[in-house]
Amino acid sequence: MTVERLSIRSVRLSEREVDAAAASLARLTKAGGHSVSIRLRGRTADDHLRRIRAEWSLGLWPLPDADVWLIDCSSDPESEVAIARRQKEQDLEVADPSRCRIVLISYGGGVFDIVLSADRRSIGRAHLLLLAETIQRDWSMAGLPLPCQRRVGFDPCGREGRALAVPAADAWGLGGLNPSTGRDLFLGLPFEWAGAEECLMPAIALTLARFRGGGGALIATLVEIASDDKMGPREGLALFTLPDAVDRAIADFAKSCGEERRFAGWHSAEMDRELRSAGLSVDACLWFDIANPTWSLAHSADYKHAGVLAYPLNISLKRSNDNGLHLSYSFDLSAYHRSMIESFDRSVSFVLRQLKSSETQRSADEILLVDSEELVTTQKGSTVPAAALMGDSLIGALQALVASQPDASAITFQDDTLTYAEFDQLSSRYADAIRSLGVRKNHRVGICVERSLELVPLLAAVLKCGATYVPIDPSTPTDRKEFIIADAEMSLLIVSHPESSLCASVRTVQSSALLETDVAAALSDEVANRPAQAYIIYTSGSTGRPKGVLIPQKNVLALVEALRGRLELSSQDRWTLFHSTAFDFSTWEIWGCLLTGGHLFVISYFLSRSPEGFLQLLADQKITVLNQTPTAFSQLQDAFLARRPDLQLRLVIFGGETLDASTLLPWMNSYLCSDCRVFNMYGITETTVHVTAELITRKHALACSRAVGAPIDGWSVYIKDPLGRLLPRGLTGEIYVGGHGLATGYWNNPDENEARFATDETSGQRLYRSGDRGRLRPDGRLDHLGRLDNQVKLRGFRIELDEIRSVILQVAGVSGSMVILREPEGGNSFLHAFVTGSGPDVRHIRAEISRALPDYMIPRKISVLERFPLTVNGKFDAAMALNVTDRQPVEEVSWSPADDRQAEGDTDELGVMLARSWSSVFGQAVSASDNFFDLGGDSLMAVKLAAIMRELNCPFGTVRDIFVYQTPNRIAQEWYDQLMTTPG
């Protein structure tokens, strides 16, 4: 079979026939096509075809073998049909790399487009553009440039087995927001070339480095490489390793944007190998020669890199109808959302203008990505003055409800209930007693009371005195309690039970004794209604000591008012107080319920640790509003799926820690109440519980969404870089929060106040620097991407890992300590500590730190290492440490009475059986004499053990039993004694 060197197909084909023929030719398409489109006026189609044949035969066209097509498109050349036709031809690659394709499109009236398409391996960009310039100059009476058009809908994966390097999920492109894959094209803003010759590459480099979150960037760009081939110079790629701009003058930064190495061929396998071996990837490819960017603009042809993209982000230089210059972006939709490309181009344009007008010795750090004032207006949440709608006194708002619904149920604990009137009367009696003990306005009163009917009235009583309550969980270790008491400078501590060890530094009174106090005079209304601070909640601190966060009453009122309408809260709602008052989630549970007239059910500690029991309460009491941390809800979900009781829930609100929305799919599949809405809320203690709210749907769960929603009314969110500059939407940085929820500050901690609370220079607004990583999506919703520092959230509690490390280092024999949060797949997260030293004993370490740390901060696992493994950068290598210390997987854990960890007397058959079941939960060998708390057990582990022991029909398998008896042997002994005393 012979192939003509030039095949001219001048048959006038219909659109359908042309498409079919093109599809046939494209079956063997290879990556790397490019094309150029030229507008011609005058002459006829036959004239143009004859000239192609004549000039080809004379060797005037430096092209390989070609196929020529004539297409009759009887429509206006600027109509949608004509534009689509032209785009289709330019996007179509040649079927055979050794042949090019020439398409002559006739529109009638002497107007034509010629589309030249070739494989880059056969003819380079320079020659294709030279040919286009020659044709347009010599053939046409007037040459008109064509605007770039948007192109969509082709495969984002490279052919010949080369896949695109798609950025990570938290990369700046936000490609995960696109509903489909393929590619798109965007034409950027116009800019003046004058003065831009030396600034274009630095502008692109600086913008790209900032968008990717700092550090340098790696850019590939086309260059001409000398060749002895008759076709002249060939195209190749050059790599530019672009530096970080930190502390660099503009002139130094621009000079450092230099070419690093050249590679022959526009798609260099050698370059790919080098990048892969170094673990690098190209951030963007510039499809023009940066050393001579205006060469390709000398003509008015419309050049396109057609076919499959070589890189996720490709940037070309274009000239528009008005001779303005533009950057044109062709990008992979799986990696980049169109809004982010638009934002990138705006920033390049803004940076370019600054570089052109700046002094060369000015620091590149001072260059902004976008006008700060513009960002302030686009990133603010609603500034509705929500607090003004309810005043600034919690007691004033509460007493208005008492007056309107005195007989409505307010608080229930077990079998006892208080109406709103009874709640008000009891809190007033407590307040009179507290004032008689010397408490006055702005004093601090500690509340260390078990969850009971009296708990919430005591909180209200302190506020009625004009004082501030400081909640302390009764399970808090003595050392931590004493620190909080001393730091808060308490006037009074109210406790459930006598605690003589705490009486030295503060006057202590039992809650039951308050009602027996001789009160001389009733509390005056004037004192009751004077607003003051609401509470101080202590959170983990990096110095090893907790920090007190001071929250005013008006913040709590603003929070409730901001969410009242959106959540449709009313007096018909029934809430639970599930969390400790030392955890700020309880602030929302208590006041969100009572200030909207709801009925609050106080949950005892042990009931909160029994998913089955709590689930039964939800069903029996027809609870409508449930607040949970994701960890607690996962166990409640398991209990629900096992029993499927009839629930009346209409709101499930998540907070306290990161939510993996995909874990909610079983709930969504099983709980078929269409009226139940699920919200995920991001918040911080220093910003009064909640900042944003996101309605979670099945779509979120299927997409594993990280969105936490837009700011609630009265709150605002900003994203800033490490230097405190505002970042455009889509870019990752530190989350700053402003608005009605900001705390007064840290109690007695001016250094932390200065570091965390500051006034923004641009907006004039007081902001809190959260330490959280995040980004604002194009629609204004926030993505929470974890912590910037060493702080984590576990079981709803915010924990400074450095605080735990600091406490461990105080234990005798310990010389080094590192703590990490482990998040196993399909399991609950836990803390793992690594220690070094002169023979440190794990049991001794656990006993010592339990004196200073609450149970949720005690590492479940403590591993002793000879020395810490380090990364190449000299940092602690957690992965290597885990490889050294982790035992076999749970499924492979073996146990026998001969285990060398087994204590004397550990031979009881029941104890052995229970120890085996404990081993499956702890993921390590457990002897029957091992103590639950020494093994790192916590309340969540106890719940798991209780479930397993119920399956064994053990009558002593409740959470309370595990806490009381603590070892498999003691539980086995109680079980054995019961068996021996039971008749029959």
Side-chain angles (χ1 to χ4, degrees):
M1 176 180 177
T2 60
V3 180
E4 295 183 49
R5 186 171 185 274
L6 174 66
S7 300
I8 298 182
R9 295 168 173 80
S10 57
V11 179
R12 296 181 182 274
L13 302 175
S14 68
E15 291 280 314
R16 183 175 181 180
E17 292 170 319
V18 170
D19 288 343
S24 176
L25 284 173
R27 281 199 300 269
L28 299 177
T29 296
K30 303 293 183 181
H34 58 167
S35 65
V36 63
S37 176
I38 313 138
R39 174 63 51 82
L40 302 175
R41 294 184 183 275
R43 300 186 178 89
T44 66
D46 290 339
D47 290 336
H48 291 309
L49 291 173
R50 281 195 297 272
R51 185 156 187 171
I52 292 173
R53 182 182 291 278
E55 293 189 357
W56 194 288
S57 64
L58 293 175
L60 299 180
W61 285 30
L63 293 176
D65 295 343
D67 294 301
V68 182
W69 299 82
L70 172 63
I71 298 176
D72 186 10
C73 183
S74 301
S75 60
D76 184 284
E78 300 305 325
S79 67
E80 292 185 3
V81 173
I83 292 172
R85 178 76 261 171
R86 186 166 59 245
Q87 293 296 322
K88 185 180 295 185
E89 293 303 326
Q90 285 201 262
D91 288 338
L92 184 66
E93 295 184 59
V94 293
D96 185 345
S98 65
R99 299 174 69 83
C100 69
R101 186 175 71 254
I102 304 171
V103 180
L104 180 64
I105 305 175
S106 173
Y107 300 110
V111 180
F112 303 87
D113 280 330
I114 289 184
V115 178
L116 306 176
S117 302
D119 190 286
R120 304 181 77 96
R121 289 166 288 187
S122 299
I123 180 171
R125 173 176 171 277
H127 290 86
L128 192 65
L129 292 173
L130 180 61
L131 176 61
E133 185 178 6
T134 301
I135 292 174
Q136 191 165 29
R137 183 180 63 245
D138 296 341
W139 287 27
S140 179
M141 293 184 295
L144 299 176
L146 296 178
C148 291
Q149 302 292 337
R150 182 182 181 187
R151 297 177 298 172
V152 296
F154 53 89
D155 187 0
C157 293
R159 309 248 169 92
E160 299 178 323
R162 183 172 188 249
L164 294 172
V166 179
D170 61 348
W172 66 267
L174 297 182
L177 300 182
N178 289 315
S180 60
T181 58
R183 69 178 178 181
D184 199 355
L185 186 141
F186 173 74
L187 185 64
L189 296 170
F191 63 91
E192 293 287 340
W193 182 249
E197 297 93 335
E198 302 298 327
C199 300
L200 183 59
M201 172 65 92
I204 295 174
L206 187 59
T207 305
L208 189 59
R210 295 267 187 86
F211 268 58
R212 67 196 296 272
L218 192 62
I219 291 181
T221 184
L222 285 181
V223 292
E224 286 192 354
I225 297 179
S227 171
D228 296 332
D229 192 283
K230 67 177 182 178
M231 298 295 292
R234 292 303 180 105
E235 290 179 328
L237 284 177
L239 280 181
F240 288 77
T241 302
L242 307 173
D244 197 329
V246 175
D247 295 330
R248 286 176 177 261
I250 290 174
D252 294 337
F253 178 76
K255 288 179 182 178
S256 63
C257 294
E259 180 183 319
E260 183 174 276
R261 186 175 176 190
R262 293 189 170 207
F263 298 88
W266 72 274
H267 178 189
S268 171
E270 180 186 7
M271 185 182 79
D272 281 354
R273 283 194 299 271
E274 288 196 14
L275 292 178
R276 281 198 299 270
S277 65
L280 301 174
S281 61
V282 171
D283 292 288
C285 185
L286 307 184
W287 291 98
F288 55 89
D289 189 342
I290 196 65
N292 188 17
T294 57
W295 184 85
S296 64
L297 299 170
H299 55 84
S300 56
D302 179 28
Y303 174 80
K304 293 186 179 181
H305 169 64
V308 175
L309 295 175
Y311 302 97
L313 178 59
N314 305 268
I315 306 175
S316 303
L317 200 58
K318 297 291 181 182
R319 187 187 297 280
S320 61
N321 289 346
D322 59 1
N323 282 328
L325 295 183
H326 304 256
L327 291 177
S328 177
Y329 303 86
S330 186
F331 52 95
D332 173 17
L333 287 173
S334 66
Y336 297 98
H337 190 266
R338 186 177 179 84
S339 65
M340 292 310 302
I341 297 298
E342 294 174 356
S343 177
F344 180 84
D345 180 72
R346 285 195 302 271
S347 292
V348 170
S349 179
F350 191 69
V351 169
L352 182 60
R353 292 199 302 272
Q354 294 175 85
L355 291 178
K356 288 167 64 176
S357 62
S358 296
E359 297 179 4
T360 56
Q361 294 308 309
R362 181 184 176 191
S363 173
D365 282 338
E366 299 176 26
I367 301 297
L368 302 177
L369 287 179
V370 71
D371 183 73
S372 296
E373 292 184 4
E374 175 188 339
L375 283 181
V376 169
T377 60
T378 60
Q379 296 195 160
K380 277 188 178 180
S382 170
T383 55
V384 174
L389 299 177
M390 295 185 70
D392 54 7
S393 170
L394 282 171
I395 297 304
L398 190 59
Q399 288 182 333
L401 277 165
V402 172
S404 65
Q405 52 178 59
D407 298 326
S409 296
I411 300 172
T412 292
F413 178 72
Q414 296 178 349
D415 297 328
D416 298 319
T417 297
L418 293 174
T419 66
Y420 271 82
E422 292 168 339
F423 164 55
D424 184 53
Q425 292 165 7
L426 180 59
S427 63
S428 293
R429 290 179 61 191
Y430 280 137
D432 289 341
I434 292 171
R435 280 184 58 80
S436 71
L437 296 175
V439 173
R440 295 295 182 264
K441 182 175 172 63
N442 294 327
H443 284 194
R444 274 78 53 204
V445 177
I447 305 293
C448 187
V449 175
E450 300 285 354
R451 303 181 204 184
S452 59
L453 193 68
E454 64 186 2
L455 175 58
V456 179
L458 282 169
L459 302 180
V462 174
L463 297 179
K464 285 186 174 184
C465 295
T468 302
Y469 65 81
V470 185
I472 303 175
D473 193 282
S475 66
T476 302
T478 300
D479 288 354
R480 191 178 182 92
K481 285 180 183 175
E482 291 180 341
F483 173 82
I484 293 173
I485 291 168
D487 185 72
E489 300 173 346
M490 292 180 185
S491 300
L492 182 69
L493 175 66
I494 303 173
V495 299
S496 297
H497 309 288
E499 298 187 43
S500 57
S501 62
L502 297 179
C503 296
S505 59
V506 65
R507 183 172 185 175
T508 303
V509 60
Q510 283 185 255
S511 56
S512 58
L514 287 175
L515 298 180
E516 302 169 3
T517 303
D518 184 20
V519 179
L523 180 67
S524 69
D525 291 338
E526 181 184 354
V527 173
N529 290 317
R530 282 192 293 178
Q533 304 294 330
Y535 59 83
I536 299 176
I537 281 185
Y538 278 79
T539 66
S540 181
S542 59
T543 61
R545 293 296 187 182
K547 299 177 294 188
V549 181
L550 186 59
I551 300 294
Q553 295 186 39
K554 62 183 179 63
N555 289 27
V556 182
L557 290 163
L559 174 69
V560 175
E561 194 60 27
L563 292 169
R564 178 198 299 268
R566 182 171 184 181
L567 301 182
E568 299 176 344
L569 303 177
S570 74
S571 59
Q572 302 303 310
D573 282 318
R574 300 160 74 86
W575 298 52
T576 59
L577 174 54
F578 181 87
H579 301 93
S580 165
T581 52
F583 176 24
D584 68 326
F585 209 172
S586 66
T587 298
W588 165 246
E589 291 179 299
I590 294 170
W591 300 110
C593 175
L594 295 179
L595 294 180
T596 56
H599 185 178
L600 182 66
F601 289 78
V602 180
I603 308 302
S604 70
Y605 173 79
F606 284 106
L607 184 58
S608 72
R609 294 305 182 265
S610 171
E612 294 80 9
F614 182 55
L615 179 68
Q616 190 61 50
L617 179 138
L618 296 179
D620 292 344
Q621 300 298 343
K622 297 180 172 54
I623 301 299
T624 62
V625 180
L626 175 65
N627 296 274
Q628 292 275 275
T629 63
T631 300
F633 186 80
S634 67
Q635 299 183 58
L636 183 66
Q637 177 177 257
D638 291 341
F640 173 80
L641 295 176
R643 295 174 51 195
R644 300 178 188 271
D646 182 23
L647 300 179
Q648 302 299 313
L649 291 174
R650 70 170 194 86
L651 276 177
V652 177
I653 299 171
F654 289 103
E657 60 187 5
T658 302
L659 171 68
D660 179 356
S662 65
T663 62
L664 302 180
L665 280 173
W667 167 267
M668 293 179 172
N669 292 335
S670 302
Y671 189 62
L672 303 179
C673 177
S674 60
D675 294 331
C676 183
R677 294 186 294 166
V678 177
F679 281 89
N680 185 26
M681 295 189 175
Y682 163 74
I684 316 163
T685 303
E686 290 84 346
T687 59
T688 315
V689 192
H690 299 311
V691 173
T692 67
E694 175 87 340
L695 179 62
I696 302 298
T697 65
R698 183 178 298 275
K699 181 179 179 181
H700 289 81
L702 292 173
C704 301
S705 173
R706 306 176 81 169
V708 293
I712 61 179
D713 287 350
W715 274 247
S716 56
V717 171
Y718 302 87
I719 306 297
K720 293 190 175 187
D721 69 11
L723 297 180
R725 297 167 298 199
L726 287 171
L727 291 174
R729 292 187 178 184
L731 298 198
T732 298
E734 183 172 2
I735 300 172
Y736 284 68
V737 179
H740 294 311
L742 256 64
T744 303
Y746 294 112
W747 175 257
N748 281 344
N749 202 332
D751 292 339
E752 279 294 301
N753 286 331
E754 183 178 355
R756 289 294 182 180
F757 295 92
T759 300
D760 181 68
E761 294 180 0
T762 303
S763 65
Q765 187 180 14
R766 184 168 175 262
L767 301 177
Y768 173 70
R769 184 177 182 179
S770 71
D772 289 333
R773 289 178 67 245
R775 66 183 170 212
L776 285 171
R777 294 189 176 200
D779 60 5
R781 292 183 300 149
L782 178 68
D783 280 346
H784 181 255
L785 304 174
R787 290 291 300 174
L788 288 167
D789 53 23
N790 212 22
Q791 190 180 88
V792 299
K793 274 196 173 181
L794 180 67
R795 295 163 50 196
F797 294 95
R798 201 172 75 193
I799 298 171
E800 288 278 0
L801 297 181
D802 285 340
E803 179 180 359
I804 303 173
R805 177 174 174 269
S806 176
V807 172
I808 293 176
L809 286 172
Q810 297 175 29
V811 178
V814 175
S815 60
S817 173
M818 299 298 297
V819 182
I820 63 172
L821 176 68
R822 298 187 60 176
E823 299 176 283
E825 293 184 6
N828 290 315
S829 302
F830 64 96
L831 297 171
H832 188 166
F834 304 87
V835 298
T836 60
S838 54
D841 178 75
V842 171
R843 293 173 188 264
H844 175 65
I845 293 173
R846 194 179 299 281
E848 288 297 310
I849 65 176
S850 64
R851 302 176 191 273
L853 298 174
D855 66 338
Y856 61 84
M857 294 181 67
I858 297 175
R860 178 188 304 174
K861 192 169 186 178
I862 300 176
S863 301
V864 179
L865 301 173
E866 182 179 351
R867 59 181 178 273
F868 290 137
L870 303 178
T871 66
V872 293
N873 296 325
K875 298 180 180 180
F876 175 64
D877 190 339
M880 181 64 70
L882 291 174
N883 287 336
V884 173
T885 60
D886 273 0
R887 294 172 177 248
Q888 296 172 294
V890 174
E891 299 78 30
E892 300 175 14
V893 169
S894 59
W895 185 93
S896 71
D899 192 299
D900 60 2
R901 297 168 62 254
Q902 189 172 327
E904 184 179 355
D906 187 10
T907 56
D908 181 83
E909 184 177 347
L910 288 178
V912 170
M913 180 179 67
L914 292 177
R916 289 178 187 270
S917 67
W918 284 35
S919 296
S920 66
V921 172
F922 283 102
Q924 64 186 63
V926 175
S927 72
S929 61
D930 277 339
N931 185 280
F932 172 79
F933 295 105
D934 289 343
L935 290 169
D938 53 35
S939 56
L940 294 178
M941 301 289 284
V943 171
K944 287 187 174 183
L945 287 177
I948 292 178
M949 291 167 69
R950 279 196 300 275
E951 294 177 2
L952 298 175
N953 295 319
C954 175
F956 295 92
T958 66
V959 172
R960 184 186 297 272
D961 290 331
I962 294 170
F963 284 0
V964 170
Y965 300 118
Q966 301 181 9
T967 71
N969 261 344
R970 286 195 61 192
I971 294 175
Q973 186 63 51
E974 294 295 326
W975 190 358
Y976 179 79
D977 290 346
Q978 185 184 83
L979 291 174
M980 293 298 99
T981 58
T982 301

